[in-house]
Amino acid sequence: LFDRLVAMPPLSRAASRIVIVGAGASGVAAATRLLENGFSNVQILEAESYVGGRVHTIPFADNVVDLGAQWCHGMAGNCVYELVKNLDIVTPTGKYFDDIVLLRSNKDVLPKKLEKQIKKIALQSLPGESSHAKGSMGSHVVENFWKAIDSHKPEIDRNVAFEALESFLKHQSSIEGSDNLFEVSGQTPNEYDECDGDQHVHWRSGGFVQILRVLMKVAPDKPNELGVLDGCIKFNKTVNQIQIVPNRQLLVMCDDECIKADHVICTVSLGVLKDKCATMFVPPLPPPKLTAIHSLQLGTVDKVYFEFDEPPFPKDFIGFYPLWLKADVKKLRKSEFAWLEGITRMHVVTCQPRILMGFIVGEHARKAACLSDEKILEGMEWLFRKFLKFSWPHPKRFLRTQWYLNPNFRGSYSYRPTTADEKGVGPWDLRAPIMVGDSYPILMFAGEASSRYHHSTVHGAVESGWREAQRLIEFY
């Protein structure tokens, strides 16, 4: 059908009507790059009431917290870091997280020497960039971990090793964004290009939203303005359908209006594509793209934040990774607090010493998202009593995320599952534009999930927005 649509003479950059669906990092990157290159009719339709999507910084306690993306992962070759490195707004975290302890559910802290040994074994059990690991990342880790434990001298207690491995698998799942590592492709290290440098470059007291302000050229003294995108964004606009019609045009259908366009860049999350692809696109998307949408996965990683009047932990205690004794986790799974097994770590927030934060991953995060704030707080207080030898004060304020429940996201960030290996699909299928004829890119796709080498990151999202903007720049 796309090839049979009427061919029309190309428009100019100034005259072409560009609609971008989503004002997340990729949508903002695409729009600002287009405006810089003479495209003056650029419109963003955003379903939420703010700019950023899964970059969502809000005021909290002494400054701000990030509900979504929090750290700039790497420095060399990271476009986000390159944009801000000379602006004095980011700082490498360094070895801050090295002081988070491994804490057992009997309140025992693993000795530092043993902790270092087990962490080293666990990290070395991950498939490397040059490995050809078949199957899942989880199976690769488990096999290599136990080989190393069995041959380690002096002997490491297998019960402690098992608890640490379970904790590591959950923590690594929160990094990948998966329910568990046994869903994640063992080829992920070959598909993901980690930028060299500190993997937790933080935004001091300003939050990740600062990258959006840089892209939009927002003045530092006017942080709530939209900069070059002023007048280009319509908020609370849910796109229900994108129709490709004759004469190389599109109709973008919202609840209350129909917008005509010459090109559309769709930046909605992979979770939204999964939910809506069957009805969102007319004509239907081609089979390879549909296979990629259904094969790639968007995981759930949620956060909990607690504000206290004073720092909640002793000065020499930053936080902990919970290690569950087998008997304790068996009881936990039969209790109302079973979702607590999904907590991967708790720690004090950089630049916010009165704030404690934690991560909850996968199926447990989705279950916890359905509970009331009161039940979440009750469960967290139970967790702290179970693990900590010292008492902790009641928080003055509590905040949590529910990314999966939001229909405008349906999850946190993408990962490559083993099913994508089996079907031979990947981000390259997701990013492929819908063409009219051989050369007219009428419907394009951006977003972190479409980034071949930097999926799951904000720099991957920004790069994808620039990529699709460049496609139109080159066309015109």
Side-chain angles (χ1 to χ4, degrees), residues 184-208:
V184 180
S185 166
Q187 289 298 306
T188 295
N190 294 321
E191 295 290 340
Y192 180 83
D193 184 10
E194 183 175 288
C195 298
D196 291 336
D198 197 303
Q199 294 301 303
H200 294 89
V201 176
H202 69 86
W203 298 85
R204 300 181 188 171
S205 59
F208 218 133

PDB file of all heavy atoms in Angstrom, residues 184-208:
ATOM      1  N   VAL A 184      17.006 -12.341  29.956  1.00  0.00           N
ATOM      2  CA  VAL A 184      17.897 -11.428  29.232  1.00  0.00           C
ATOM      3  C   VAL A 184      18.856 -12.205  28.345  1.00  0.00           C
ATOM      4  O   VAL A 184      19.463 -13.196  28.772  1.00  0.00           O
ATOM      5  CB  VAL A 184      18.695 -10.552  30.218  1.00  0.00           C
ATOM      6  CG1 VAL A 184      19.617  -9.596  29.470  1.00  0.00           C
ATOM      7  CG2 VAL A 184      17.739  -9.779  31.119  1.00  0.00           C
ATOM      8  N   SER A 185      19.016 -11.762  27.126  1.00  0.00           N
ATOM      9  CA  SER A 185      19.925 -12.415  26.184  1.00  0.00           C
ATOM     10  C   SER A 185      21.363 -12.382  26.684  1.00  0.00           C
ATOM     11  O   SER A 185      21.855 -11.339  27.138  1.00  0.00           O
ATOM     12  CB  SER A 185      19.841 -11.715  24.822  1.00  0.00           C
ATOM     13  OG  SER A 185      20.917 -12.115  23.992  1.00  0.00           O
ATOM     14  N   GLY A 186      22.037 -13.502  26.558  1.00  0.00           N
ATOM     15  CA  GLY A 186      23.453 -13.565  26.883  1.00  0.00           C
ATOM     16  C   GLY A 186      24.309 -12.759  25.930  1.00  0.00           C
ATOM     17  O   GLY A 186      25.482 -12.492  26.197  1.00  0.00           O
ATOM     18  N   GLN A 187      23.717 -12.330  24.810  1.00  0.00           N
ATOM     19  CA  GLN A 187      24.435 -11.518  23.824  1.00  0.00           C
ATOM     20  C   GLN A 187      24.338 -10.020  24.118  1.00  0.00           C
ATOM     21  O   GLN A 187      24.892  -9.211  23.374  1.00  0.00           O
ATOM     22  CB  GLN A 187      23.870 -11.795  22.429  1.00  0.00           C
ATOM     23  CG  GLN A 187      24.220 -13.167  21.876  1.00  0.00           C
ATOM     24  CD  GLN A 187      25.732 -13.327  21.726  1.00  0.00           C
ATOM     25  OE1 GLN A 187      26.402 -12.519  21.095  1.00  0.00           O
ATOM     26  NE2 GLN A 187      26.270 -14.379  22.335  1.00  0.00           N
ATOM     27  N   THR A 188      23.663  -9.653  25.206  1.00  0.00           N
ATOM     28  CA  THR A 188      23.478  -8.245  25.523  1.00  0.00           C
ATOM     29  C   THR A 188      24.781  -7.449  25.555  1.00  0.00           C
ATOM     30  O   THR A 188      24.834  -6.329  25.019  1.00  0.00           O
ATOM     31  CB  THR A 188      22.725  -8.094  26.859  1.00  0.00           C
ATOM     32  OG1 THR A 188      21.402  -8.629  26.702  1.00  0.00           O
ATOM     33  CG2 THR A 188      22.631  -6.639  27.287  1.00  0.00           C
ATOM     34  N   PRO A 189      25.866  -7.972  26.162  1.00  0.00           N
ATOM     35  CA  PRO A 189      27.110  -7.181  26.164  1.00  0.00           C
ATOM     36  C   PRO A 189      27.645  -6.881  24.767  1.00  0.00           C
ATOM     37  O   PRO A 189      28.354  -5.889  24.573  1.00  0.00           O
ATOM     38  CB  PRO A 189      28.088  -8.067  26.951  1.00  0.00           C
ATOM     39  CG  PRO A 189      27.220  -8.916  27.810  1.00  0.00           C
ATOM     40  CD  PRO A 189      26.009  -9.193  26.970  1.00  0.00           C
ATOM     41  N   ASN A 190      27.314  -7.729  23.801  1.00  0.00           N
ATOM     42  CA  ASN A 190      27.745  -7.465  22.425  1.00  0.00           C
ATOM     43  C   ASN A 190      26.842  -6.450  21.726  1.00  0.00           C
ATOM     44  O   ASN A 190      27.246  -5.845  20.727  1.00  0.00           O
ATOM     45  CB  ASN A 190      27.762  -8.765  21.614  1.00  0.00           C
ATOM     46  CG  ASN A 190      28.808  -9.744  22.118  1.00  0.00           C
ATOM     47  OD1 ASN A 190      29.902  -9.351  22.493  1.00  0.00           O
ATOM     48  ND2 ASN A 190      28.469 -11.018  22.152  1.00  0.00           N
ATOM     49  N   GLU A 191      25.634  -6.276  22.242  1.00  0.00           N
ATOM     50  CA  GLU A 191      24.677  -5.360  21.626  1.00  0.00           C
ATOM     51  C   GLU A 191      24.675  -3.991  22.305  1.00  0.00           C
ATOM     52  O   GLU A 191      24.263  -2.999  21.713  1.00  0.00           O
ATOM     53  CB  GLU A 191      23.261  -5.950  21.691  1.00  0.00           C
ATOM     54  CG  GLU A 191      23.085  -7.226  20.879  1.00  0.00           C
ATOM     55  CD  GLU A 191      23.144  -6.960  19.384  1.00  0.00           C
ATOM     56  OE1 GLU A 191      22.947  -5.804  18.964  1.00  0.00           O
ATOM     57  OE2 GLU A 191      23.412  -7.916  18.637  1.00  0.00           O
ATOM     58  N   TYR A 192      25.120  -3.952  23.564  1.00  0.00           N
ATOM     59  CA  TYR A 192      25.123  -2.697  24.317  1.00  0.00           C
ATOM     60  C   TYR A 192      26.548  -2.183  24.443  1.00  0.00           C
ATOM     61  O   TYR A 192      27.435  -2.891  24.921  1.00  0.00           O
ATOM     62  CB  TYR A 192      24.518  -2.903  25.704  1.00  0.00           C
ATOM     63  CG  TYR A 192      24.492  -1.641  26.540  1.00  0.00           C
ATOM     64  CD1 TYR A 192      23.469  -0.712  26.384  1.00  0.00           C
ATOM     65  CD2 TYR A 192      25.495  -1.366  27.459  1.00  0.00           C
ATOM     66  CE1 TYR A 192      23.445   0.455  27.132  1.00  0.00           C
ATOM     67  CE2 TYR A 192      25.483  -0.202  28.205  1.00  0.00           C
ATOM     68  CZ  TYR A 192      24.456   0.701  28.048  1.00  0.00           C
ATOM     69  OH  TYR A 192      24.444   1.861  28.780  1.00  0.00           O
ATOM     70  N   ASP A 193      26.773  -0.955  24.008  1.00  0.00           N
ATOM     71  CA  ASP A 193      28.101  -0.359  24.029  1.00  0.00           C
ATOM     72  C   ASP A 193      28.205   0.565  25.241  1.00  0.00           C
ATOM     73  O   ASP A 193      27.711   1.692  25.220  1.00  0.00           O
ATOM     74  CB  ASP A 193      28.338   0.426  22.735  1.00  0.00           C
ATOM     75  CG  ASP A 193      29.746   0.987  22.640  1.00  0.00           C
ATOM     76  OD1 ASP A 193      30.587   0.607  23.474  1.00  0.00           O
ATOM     77  OD2 ASP A 193      30.004   1.801  21.731  1.00  0.00           O
ATOM     78  N   GLU A 194      28.837   0.080  26.298  1.00  0.00           N
ATOM     79  CA  GLU A 194      28.967   0.886  27.521  1.00  0.00           C
ATOM     80  C   GLU A 194      29.972   2.011  27.316  1.00  0.00           C
ATOM     81  O   GLU A 194      31.106   1.773  26.911  1.00  0.00           O
ATOM     82  CB  GLU A 194      29.399   0.006  28.694  1.00  0.00           C
ATOM     83  CG  GLU A 194      29.481   0.741  30.021  1.00  0.00           C
ATOM     84  CD  GLU A 194      29.799  -0.193  31.174  1.00  0.00           C
ATOM     85  OE1 GLU A 194      28.907  -0.988  31.560  1.00  0.00           O
ATOM     86  OE2 GLU A 194      30.937  -0.140  31.680  1.00  0.00           O
ATOM     87  N   CYS A 195      29.558   3.227  27.609  1.00  0.00           N
ATOM     88  CA  CYS A 195      30.460   4.375  27.500  1.00  0.00           C
ATOM     89  C   CYS A 195      31.476   4.330  28.641  1.00  0.00           C
ATOM     90  O   CYS A 195      31.113   4.066  29.798  1.00  0.00           O
ATOM     91  CB  CYS A 195      29.668   5.674  27.555  1.00  0.00           C
ATOM     92  SG  CYS A 195      28.479   5.880  26.217  1.00  0.00           S
ATOM     93  N   ASP A 196      32.731   4.577  28.329  1.00  0.00           N
ATOM     94  CA  ASP A 196      33.773   4.554  29.350  1.00  0.00           C
ATOM     95  C   ASP A 196      33.571   5.683  30.347  1.00  0.00           C
ATOM     96  O   ASP A 196      32.985   6.722  30.038  1.00  0.00           O
ATOM     97  CB  ASP A 196      35.159   4.678  28.706  1.00  0.00           C
ATOM     98  CG  ASP A 196      35.550   3.435  27.909  1.00  0.00           C
ATOM     99  OD1 ASP A 196      35.005   2.357  28.200  1.00  0.00           O
ATOM    100  OD2 ASP A 196      36.397   3.554  27.005  1.00  0.00           O
ATOM    101  N   GLY A 197      34.100   5.477  31.550  1.00  0.00           N
ATOM    102  CA  GLY A 197      33.995   6.503  32.586  1.00  0.00           C
ATOM    103  C   GLY A 197      32.965   6.130  33.634  1.00  0.00           C
ATOM    104  O   GLY A 197      32.341   5.066  33.594  1.00  0.00           O
ATOM    105  N   ASP A 198      32.783   6.997  34.592  1.00  0.00           N
ATOM    106  CA  ASP A 198      31.864   6.773  35.706  1.00  0.00           C
ATOM    107  C   ASP A 198      30.461   6.447  35.184  1.00  0.00           C
ATOM    108  O   ASP A 198      29.905   7.175  34.358  1.00  0.00           O
ATOM    109  CB  ASP A 198      31.816   8.031  36.583  1.00  0.00           C
ATOM    110  CG  ASP A 198      31.222   7.771  37.953  1.00  0.00           C
ATOM    111  OD1 ASP A 198      30.084   7.287  38.020  1.00  0.00           O
ATOM    112  OD2 ASP A 198      31.903   8.068  38.951  1.00  0.00           O
ATOM    113  N   GLN A 199      29.909   5.356  35.693  1.00  0.00           N
ATOM    114  CA  GLN A 199      28.586   4.926  35.239  1.00  0.00           C
ATOM    115  C   GLN A 199      27.444   5.568  36.027  1.00  0.00           C
ATOM    116  O   GLN A 199      26.272   5.338  35.742  1.00  0.00           O
ATOM    117  CB  GLN A 199      28.471   3.400  35.331  1.00  0.00           C
ATOM    118  CG  GLN A 199      29.398   2.665  34.381  1.00  0.00           C
ATOM    119  CD  GLN A 199      29.142   3.027  32.931  1.00  0.00           C
ATOM    120  OE1 GLN A 199      28.030   2.882  32.431  1.00  0.00           O
ATOM    121  NE2 GLN A 199      30.171   3.517  32.241  1.00  0.00           N
ATOM    122  N   HIS A 200      27.796   6.375  37.014  1.00  0.00           N
ATOM    123  CA  HIS A 200      26.771   7.035  37.833  1.00  0.00           C
ATOM    124  C   HIS A 200      27.073   8.521  37.974  1.00  0.00           C
ATOM    125  O   HIS A 200      27.119   9.072  39.078  1.00  0.00           O
ATOM    126  CB  HIS A 200      26.683   6.383  39.220  1.00  0.00           C
ATOM    127  CG  HIS A 200      26.191   4.982  39.201  1.00  0.00           C
ATOM    128  ND1 HIS A 200      27.032   3.898  39.071  1.00  0.00           N
ATOM    129  CD2 HIS A 200      24.930   4.477  39.258  1.00  0.00           C
ATOM    130  CE1 HIS A 200      26.317   2.791  39.073  1.00  0.00           C
ATOM    131  NE2 HIS A 200      25.043   3.107  39.182  1.00  0.00           N
ATOM    132  N   VAL A 201      27.308   9.181  36.850  1.00  0.00           N
ATOM    133  CA  VAL A 201      27.498  10.633  36.880  1.00  0.00           C
ATOM    134  C   VAL A 201      26.166  11.251  37.331  1.00  0.00           C
ATOM    135  O   VAL A 201      25.125  11.011  36.719  1.00  0.00           O
ATOM    136  CB  VAL A 201      27.904  11.169  35.497  1.00  0.00           C
ATOM    137  CG1 VAL A 201      27.989  12.694  35.526  1.00  0.00           C
ATOM    138  CG2 VAL A 201      29.243  10.563  35.063  1.00  0.00           C
ATOM    139  N   HIS A 202      26.204  12.025  38.428  1.00  0.00           N
ATOM    140  CA  HIS A 202      24.942  12.534  38.960  1.00  0.00           C
ATOM    141  C   HIS A 202      24.812  14.043  38.737  1.00  0.00           C
ATOM    142  O   HIS A 202      25.777  14.745  38.444  1.00  0.00           O
ATOM    143  CB  HIS A 202      24.775  12.166  40.440  1.00  0.00           C
ATOM    144  CG  HIS A 202      25.711  12.874  41.373  1.00  0.00           C
ATOM    145  ND1 HIS A 202      25.448  14.103  41.907  1.00  0.00           N
ATOM    146  CD2 HIS A 202      26.920  12.499  41.880  1.00  0.00           C
ATOM    147  CE1 HIS A 202      26.432  14.470  42.700  1.00  0.00           C
ATOM    148  NE2 HIS A 202      27.335  13.525  42.701  1.00  0.00           N
ATOM    149  N   TRP A 203      23.586  14.514  38.889  1.00  0.00           N
ATOM    150  CA  TRP A 203      23.203  15.872  38.499  1.00  0.00           C
ATOM    151  C   TRP A 203      23.162  16.814  39.689  1.00  0.00           C
ATOM    152  O   TRP A 203      22.449  17.821  39.668  1.00  0.00           O
ATOM    153  CB  TRP A 203      21.858  15.833  37.774  1.00  0.00           C
ATOM    154  CG  TRP A 203      21.932  15.030  36.516  1.00  0.00           C
ATOM    155  CD1 TRP A 203      21.790  13.674  36.388  1.00  0.00           C
ATOM    156  CD2 TRP A 203      22.215  15.516  35.204  1.00  0.00           C
ATOM    157  NE1 TRP A 203      21.956  13.296  35.084  1.00  0.00           N
ATOM    158  CE2 TRP A 203      22.220  14.400  34.331  1.00  0.00           C
ATOM    159  CE3 TRP A 203      22.449  16.779  34.677  1.00  0.00           C
ATOM    160  CZ2 TRP A 203      22.459  14.514  32.967  1.00  0.00           C
ATOM    161  CZ3 TRP A 203      22.689  16.904  33.315  1.00  0.00           C
ATOM    162  CH2 TRP A 203      22.693  15.778  32.479  1.00  0.00           C
ATOM    163  N   ARG A 204      23.932  16.458  40.733  1.00  0.00           N
ATOM    164  CA  ARG A 204      24.011  17.283  41.935  1.00  0.00           C
ATOM    165  C   ARG A 204      22.607  17.546  42.474  1.00  0.00           C
ATOM    166  O   ARG A 204      21.857  16.617  42.695  1.00  0.00           O
ATOM    167  CB  ARG A 204      24.777  18.576  41.655  1.00  0.00           C
ATOM    168  CG  ARG A 204      26.217  18.334  41.196  1.00  0.00           C
ATOM    169  CD  ARG A 204      26.936  19.637  40.964  1.00  0.00           C
ATOM    170  NE  ARG A 204      28.241  19.388  40.342  1.00  0.00           N
ATOM    171  CZ  ARG A 204      29.012  20.350  39.861  1.00  0.00           C
ATOM    172  NH1 ARG A 204      28.615  21.620  39.924  1.00  0.00           N
ATOM    173  NH2 ARG A 204      30.179  20.054  39.301  1.00  0.00           N
ATOM    174  N   SER A 205      22.263  18.806  42.666  1.00  0.00           N
ATOM    175  CA  SER A 205      20.954  19.115  43.243  1.00  0.00           C
ATOM    176  C   SER A 205      19.942  19.569  42.203  1.00  0.00           C
ATOM    177  O   SER A 205      18.884  20.084  42.543  1.00  0.00           O
ATOM    178  CB  SER A 205      21.107  20.208  44.312  1.00  0.00           C
ATOM    179  OG  SER A 205      21.671  21.388  43.746  1.00  0.00           O
ATOM    180  N   GLY A 206      20.265  19.345  40.909  1.00  0.00           N
ATOM    181  CA  GLY A 206      19.387  19.853  39.860  1.00  0.00           C
ATOM    182  C   GLY A 206      18.565  18.829  39.119  1.00  0.00           C
ATOM    183  O   GLY A 206      17.577  19.167  38.458  1.00  0.00           O
ATOM    184  N   GLY A 207      18.957  17.533  39.169  1.00  0.00           N
ATOM    185  CA  GLY A 207      18.181  16.503  38.504  1.00  0.00           C
ATOM    186  C   GLY A 207      18.446  16.380  37.012  1.00  0.00           C
ATOM    187  O   GLY A 207      19.039  17.257  36.383  1.00  0.00           O
ATOM    188  N   PHE A 208      17.997  15.256  36.447  1.00  0.00           N
ATOM    189  CA  PHE A 208      18.245  14.928  35.040  1.00  0.00           C
ATOM    190  C   PHE A 208      17.506  15.869  34.086  1.00  0.00           C
ATOM    191  O   PHE A 208      17.840  15.978  32.911  1.00  0.00           O
ATOM    192  CB  PHE A 208      17.819  13.483  34.764  1.00  0.00           C
ATOM    193  CG  PHE A 208      18.729  12.744  33.822  1.00  0.00           C
ATOM    194  CD1 PHE A 208      19.176  11.466  34.122  1.00  0.00           C
ATOM    195  CD2 PHE A 208      19.150  13.306  32.633  1.00  0.00           C
ATOM    196  CE1 PHE A 208      20.021  10.768  33.263  1.00  0.00           C
ATOM    197  CE2 PHE A 208      19.988  12.624  31.765  1.00  0.00           C
ATOM    198  CZ  PHE A 208      20.425  11.356  32.074  1.00  0.00           C
TER     199      PHE A 208
END
